[in-house]
Amino acid sequence: MSAPIQKSAAKTKAATQIVTANRLDDGLVVYLAPGGGWTEKLNEADVLATPETLAAAVEAGKAAEAARVVVESYPIDVERGPSGLRPLRLREEIRAAGPTVRPDLARPLGA
Amino acid sequence: MYRYDEFDHGFVAARTAQFRDQVERRLSGELTEDQFKPLRLMNGVYLQLHAYMLRIAIPYGTLSARQLRKLAHIGRVYDKGYGHFTTRQNIQFNWPALKDIPAILDELASVEMHALQTSGNCIRNVTTDHFAGAAADEIADPRPYAEILRQWSSIHPEFSYLPRKFKIAVTGAPSDRAAIQLHDIGLELKRGPDGATGFAVYVGGGQGRTPMIAHKVRDYLPEEELLTYIEAVMRVYNLHGRRDNKYKARIKILVHETGAAEITRQIEAEYEEVRKTDLLRLPESEIQRIAAYFAPPDLPEKPARSGALEAAKADSREFATFVENNVTPHKAAGYGVVTVSLKPIGGIPGDATDRQMEVVADLAERYSQSEIRVSHEQNLVLPHVALDDLPALYASLKAQGLATGNAGLVTDIIACPGLDYCALANARSIPLAQDLSTRFGSPERQKEIGELKIKISGCINACGHHHVGHIGLLGVDKRGEEVYQITLGGSGDETASVGALVGPGFKTEEVVDAVETVVDTYLRLRESPDETFLAAVRRLGQQPFKEALYGAA
């Protein structure tokens, strides 16, 4: 049976951001963590509340691409809810949580 | 089946070694992503939402049991225990690690398979009728010609950097199950006035953001002229196809902008030039050599009617439904062509687990001369099954969830991977397919509705073939929300047509009801149960469906 189809969360102007990418050697989704490492866990991402920290994180993403750690890094909008961070766009929610049609492969948000 | 010769083995081994070196240089930093990306794409490696994706070529959709077993092995060892059969008769694995892909390619090469030309602006895997070599209505087996095209087009230096990707499809039967008029080149095998074999040639079809039906540029091309003529088409396209705008770069746009008559004139003129060299004329001996690989299997003679089959049908309505829908007449009496549905009710279209692939491989060895076909409708096919064996085959399929008797019915839905996997998608396709399948899933409802092809794409690139769905569904992103547009009246068969948009799109929570409204309108207005959905839409036009969906204007 399919997972319920839900509307993605509405975008808000107050959105904060994190930086995501895919890891070079295995392609899995990762997030830039505080301290400059990369984590598979959304809730461990470095939340970038100011334009300055966002710019620095985007630069760190590009540096990690050059250092062959990740590919295709970019910032995404997130909001903080009761269970932790949640991407605002459905595309990023699916990247974070796994295919909605394969609950057995899911990575629950907030985990 | 075609068997690699020394050249094929050497060629694939060399390409695998080359890509292994490229992966190592990427991981070591010698190659940047910008440098590596076109190299990985030439070897079928994409980067999707969750991970890398490896698209493996299944030439003209034909697999041996040994090859399918290898795909199962790859799914289990290198992926997450499943693969996805695509609308191009290929298979995709959604989770391979880049560092493992050279090893996967080695595994593939060991069973004469590869991932070449499954991406990039080259001539892609040539597709055919999934019943090729078995169908009762076939004039000739199209696969020898597809194999000739494969050999000719593989790393063809002149056609490896075309303006855009290029797809060729061949049908050997007048009932077009390969959707040839929706391809860059479509070839229809036919008999000439002298009884010889040749082709009608169609050029300029395609789907994507600008769907077009191909134009017939040649009513009859002798078979020995196949490569000469295709080379001429490719040269005209390579010279004049647009490279300034990727959305206008397919040959369909060139044909549309140039005009069918003028493009035909240009192709014929180029054909005369290519013919002068006489280099590409196919020797009869070579056609026969390739065709010998596809010789019909030596099937024991059987009576046309199987008592065992008739008795089993009388015993089980479910089995009788399976036979009615999933078994197609074979050219040999006493045999059938069996569609193994990868569309369980509420399931994911085209997905098969490693275990299911192994079971189908085993059953192919036991009941179908070790042959399997992959259909562009995302099902598997066992092409040579004795009617006497159908009850036992059915029982084995059923034990693995592979005996859904819905081929060609409303739940036999094509769906692209959509936003659940694909980096290009704007909306999900699979959950909608699952919900529709569940809504219409009862055998009685499906039988009442009859033949109805629903096709779903998660973006305008149309990998889910929505343009040629009797009911097409296109997912779009409307201010962050998934919305689905409905088209009606498309068809990919010999009466090919592009579906027309019926009106404004529907939200996810509305679209299943909307499709049901369309279906109920058809059931209410059809002249008789013999009038199919497509025939009814063509007779009635869009208006009754618009009124049912949106109210009278």
Side-chain angles (χ1 to χ4, degrees), chain B residues 227-386:
Chain B
L227 294 186
T228 309
Y229 196 83
I230 300 296
E231 176 115 345
V233 176
M234 300 307 301
R235 285 188 171 182
V236 169
Y237 171 54
N238 211 9
L239 185 62
H240 298 297
R242 289 180 61 168
R243 293 174 187 267
D244 61 321
N245 181 340
K246 72 179 285 192
Y247 302 120
K248 296 184 182 296
R250 297 288 291 269
I251 195 172
K252 63 189 173 185
I253 304 295
L254 177 67
V255 173
H256 179 71
E257 292 185 346
T258 308
E262 172 59 17
I263 207 80
T264 303
R265 189 197 66 74
Q266 291 179 12
I267 292 168
E268 291 290 331
E270 188 64 36
Y271 172 54
E272 291 304 321
E273 286 300 310
V274 181
R275 281 180 84 181
K276 287 177 185 170
T277 67
D278 206 30
L279 288 172
L280 287 172
R281 191 168 57 80
L282 287 167
E284 176 63 19
S285 60
E286 184 62 7
I287 296 173
Q288 292 306 321
R289 188 184 74 80
I290 299 289
Y293 288 111
F294 301 93
D298 190 15
L299 300 172
E301 282 192 24
K302 300 261 184 193
R305 187 176 181 281
S306 162
L309 170 62
E310 296 307 320
K313 282 165 62 178
D315 274 354
S316 165
R317 181 183 290 185
E318 191 178 66
F319 174 65
T321 299
F322 175 84
V323 173
E324 182 182 353
N325 295 320
N326 292 36
V327 181
T328 306
H330 195 284
K331 60 175 69 174
Y335 290 83
V337 184
V338 176
T339 296
V340 178
S341 173
L342 297 181
K343 321 287 177 63
I345 301 306
I348 298 176
D351 273 14
T353 66
D354 57 331
R355 181 66 191 134
Q356 287 177 322
M357 286 188 254
E358 281 180 336
V359 166
V360 174
D362 291 346
L363 294 173
E365 280 182 341
R366 194 161 171 189
Y367 297 117
S368 183
Q369 308 291 316
S370 294
E371 279 192 37
I372 304 106
R373 307 287 162 69
V374 181
S375 79
H376 82 269
E377 295 178 323
Q378 300 179 287
N379 292 315
L380 298 178
V381 173
L382 297 174
H384 308 295
V385 180

Side-chain angles (χ1 to χ4, degrees), chain A residues 1-2 5-8 22 24-29 68 71-72 90-91 94-95 98-102 105, chain B residues 26-29 33 47 49-52 82 97-99 419-421 423 428 430-431 434-435 480 482 508:
Chain A
M1 290 293 295
S2 65
I5 299 175
Q6 296 177 337
K7 286 168 63 170
S8 58
N22 291 76
L24 172 63
D25 64 350
D26 60 12
L28 296 183
V29 175
R68 312 185 308 276
V71 289
E72 298 192 5
L90 178 60
R91 179 185 197 274
I94 291 172
R95 280 184 79 239
T100 63
V101 293
R102 290 296 302 256
L105 303 178
Chain B
R26 173 67 185 121
L27 294 173
S28 73
E33 184 62 16
L47 182 61
L49 288 188
H50 308 289
Y52 293 101
Y82 70 104
L98 179 61
K99 56 185 165 49
L419 192 56
D420 278 298
Y421 292 98
R428 285 174 290 176
I430 297 169
Q434 292 176 298
D435 290 348
E482 294 166 298
T508 51

